[in-house]
Amino acid sequence: MNGTISLRLAFIFLVLAQASGFAPANAAPYQAGPVRLVVGFGPASPADIVARLVARHLEEALGKPVIVENRPGNSSMLAAEAVARAPNDGRTLFVATVANTINPARMKSGFDLGKELAPIALLGVVPNVLVANPSLPVKTVGDLIALAKQQTGQLTFGTSGLWTASHMAVAMFNMKAGTDIVAVPYQGGASQAVTDLLAGRINLMFNVAAPLAPFVASGQLTALAVGQPKRTAILPDVPTMEEAGLTGFDVGVWIGLLAPAGTAPEIIDTLAKASNEALQQPSIREALKAQGIEVLGGTPAEFASFIARDIEKWRSLIEAAGLKE
């Protein structure tokens, strides 16, 4: 009899606790079923690499399968819009990148990243690095600026396409350095640009550090500067643009996690906590470091502020540089 009463009391306590918002610590914050991390770029892209590493820890933390889904197209905006239309139950999440703050800064769109998606956590950043073909007689950013001013409009920067982070890096460089180096967009991405740079068909390139590091180590490319405020572990001897004299130069490929707008705050908090815990795992940190990806982390509020600042940064640059569609 006492056992029966105890079971009833336990059941009543559980119901009252859940009704009051005090569910057990290990209770699922939302309904059962897998979680999807939707990436707007293909496999092996920086966003995909981060998503798959973080997904491993999220599976353990949430106690449910976490599936990475690649949905490339329209500079990641197709994926963003698909997640914004998904149910706000925490089971469909978006892996955003810098592309998603460049796009709203450059064009009028019905899609508002800051309003239609809820920030969870800023996960990491992949620094862009400026490299030159060794045939170009430059060893520093100062050398490059001097040469570019002597040869106005003759030097060329390869980019991974119009309105990409590398395109924005060229615009920022020309503005801050007072140069007129020509941007050459490669619609198929960075790989063909790297091939042409190695062959000397273009002079310079901004790209994420990891694929360029082996060519720098072998002497096939000369690394001039990192486009982030601090040096990157994958090329520790390469100075930053700040160190080279270009104050305020900050162009990198950041990666973050968002959910559909209206997702319950407790779900956002659970996902933010799990994401930040994932970034502290030694195995994940080492795997990211090997890819030249630097760990960030932070709160949903901090990520929301970051997104707003980033959109404004690109909008100001695009207007000041006179860039057009």
Side-chain angles (χ1 to χ4, degrees):
M1 185 70 175
N2 289 339
T4 303
I5 293 172
S6 297
L7 286 172
R8 287 176 178 172
L9 288 173
F11 176 76
I12 291 170
F13 175 80
L14 178 60
V15 170
L16 289 173
Q18 289 175 331
S20 303
F22 293 101
N26 61 350
Y30 40 80
Q31 63 189 24
V35 173
R36 291 187 301 141
L37 304 187
V38 183
V39 180
F41 296 94
S45 63
D48 179 76
I49 291 168
V50 173
R52 292 182 188 279
L53 287 169
V54 170
R56 297 179 195 172
H57 181 79
L58 290 181
E59 283 194 332
E60 297 176 10
L62 302 177
K64 58 179 64 187
V66 178
I67 302 163
V68 176
E69 177 183 319
N70 298 96
R71 193 181 293 192
N74 194 24
S75 296
S76 187
M77 293 308 291
L78 288 181
E81 291 171 2
V83 173
R85 292 192 298 268
N88 55 7
D89 56 8
R91 293 174 56 201
T92 305
L93 309 176
F94 177 52
V95 182
T97 74
V98 64
N100 301 108
T101 49
I102 293 173
N103 282 324
R106 72 180 177 90
M107 61 184 179
K108 292 182 179 179
S109 170
F111 183 83
D112 188 324
L113 181 72
K115 293 181 180 178
E116 299 190 52
L117 291 168
I120 296 170
L122 183 56
L123 302 176
V125 65
V126 193
N128 269 312
V129 62
L130 170 60
V131 292
N133 183 285
S135 65
L136 204 66
V138 298
K139 296 295 183 185
T140 67
V141 169
D143 293 342
L144 175 59
I145 293 172
L147 181 65
K149 289 182 176 180
Q150 291 171 8
Q151 302 181 19
T152 302
Q154 296 180 45
L155 301 184
T156 52
F157 266 123
T159 77
S160 53
L162 291 171
W163 307 112
T164 60
S166 57
H167 181 203
M168 294 297 98
V170 174
M172 188 175 289
F173 185 90
N174 279 331
M175 260 199 49
K176 290 185 176 293
T179 54
D180 185 24
I181 303 176
V182 178
V184 180
Y186 285 78
Q187 298 305 322
S191 58
Q192 185 57 50
V194 173
T195 299
D196 282 0
L197 179 62
L198 291 168
R201 287 186 281 271
I202 55 176
N203 305 121
L204 302 144
M205 185 178 184
F206 274 103
N207 194 29
V208 293
L212 298 177
F215 299 115
V216 173
S218 67
Q220 292 173 275
L221 293 176
T222 302
L224 301 180
V226 173
Q228 290 284 117
K230 67 176 186 177
R231 296 191 181 198
T232 176
I234 203 168
L235 290 169
D237 297 327
V238 179
T240 66
M241 286 289 183
E242 287 268 357
E243 291 173 315
L246 297 188
T247 305
F249 196 104
D250 185 3
V251 181
V253 180
W254 61 261
I255 298 142
L257 195 62
L258 300 98
T263 300
E266 58 268 26
I267 294 177
I268 296 293
D269 290 343
T270 295
L271 290 167
K273 181 182 178 182
S275 298
N276 279 286
E277 286 175 349
L279 297 176
Q280 297 308 312
Q281 301 297 313
S283 60
I284 292 178
R285 293 179 74 90
E286 286 302 312
L288 292 173
K289 181 180 177 181
Q291 295 293 328
I293 301 169
E294 299 181 4
V295 169
L296 293 176
T299 67
E302 289 169 340
F303 189 20
S305 296
F306 173 89
I307 288 172
R309 290 195 307 272
D310 215 46
I311 291 174
E312 184 54 38
K313 177 176 75 175
W314 301 130
R315 183 175 288 121
S316 297
L317 174 64
I318 289 165
E319 289 177 0
L323 301 179
K324 298 178 182 178
E325 288 288 335

